[in-house]
């Protein structure tokens, strides 16, 4: 099941698609008679495999990058990075061109 999920494109895994794959491929390959229902696949995805139902967009962060603690840490990082500016030769050349 994990191999199947790892080969799927981001945003295409659904409980229905997992349920269909398990019933059509995995269970017969293991010679297990029976079927699972979509609810079972949903439960496995959420609780066993730790998948989350989220809207995924290319280039858009959905991981809390706008939380106050993240913003503060980013600000501190940029201030520290700016403190190294006198030691970087290309930065002075860029200022001369501006």
């Amino acid at each position: 099941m994990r191999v199947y999920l790892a080969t799927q494109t981001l945003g295409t895994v659904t409980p229905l698609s997992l349920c269909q794959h398990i019933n059509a491929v995995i269970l017969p390959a293991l010679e297990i008679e029976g079927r699972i229902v979509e609810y079972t696949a949903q439960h496995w995805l959420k609780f066993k495999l730790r998948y989350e139902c989220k809207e995924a967009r290319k280039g858009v962060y959905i991981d809390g990058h706008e939380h106050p603690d993240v913003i503060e840490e980013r600000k501190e990082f940029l201030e520290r990075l700016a403190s190294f500016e006198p030691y970087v030769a290309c930065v002075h050349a860029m200022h001369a061109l501006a």
Side-chain angles (χ1 to χ4, degrees), residues 18-70:
L18 178 61
C19 179
Q20 291 171 340
H21 181 76
I22 290 171
N23 289 331
V25 179
I26 296 175
L27 293 179
L30 297 172
E31 299 179 358
I32 297 174
E33 293 185 23
R35 301 174 58 80
I36 68 164
V37 295
E38 189 175 350
Y39 177 80
T40 302
Q42 180 182 8
H43 183 83
W44 288 353
L45 284 168
K46 185 173 183 179
F47 297 106
K48 299 282 187 190
L49 301 168
R50 302 287 187 213
Y51 274 63
E52 293 182 31
C53 183
K54 292 183 178 181
E55 181 178 347
R57 297 183 195 158
K58 188 174 182 178
V60 176
Y61 286 80
I62 52 175
D63 62 356
H65 69 284
E66 293 180 355
H67 287 201
D69 61 324
V70 176

Side-chain angles (χ1 to χ4, degrees), residues 70-98:
V70 176
I71 293 172
E72 182 61 31
E73 188 172 323
R74 181 175 42 221
K75 180 182 169 189
E76 291 171 8
F77 170 77
L78 291 175
E79 289 172 358
R80 179 160 178 170
L81 186 62
S83 73
F84 293 109
E85 186 176 344
Y87 306 106
V88 180
C90 64
V91 173
H92 297 293
M94 288 174 47
H95 286 298
L97 294 174

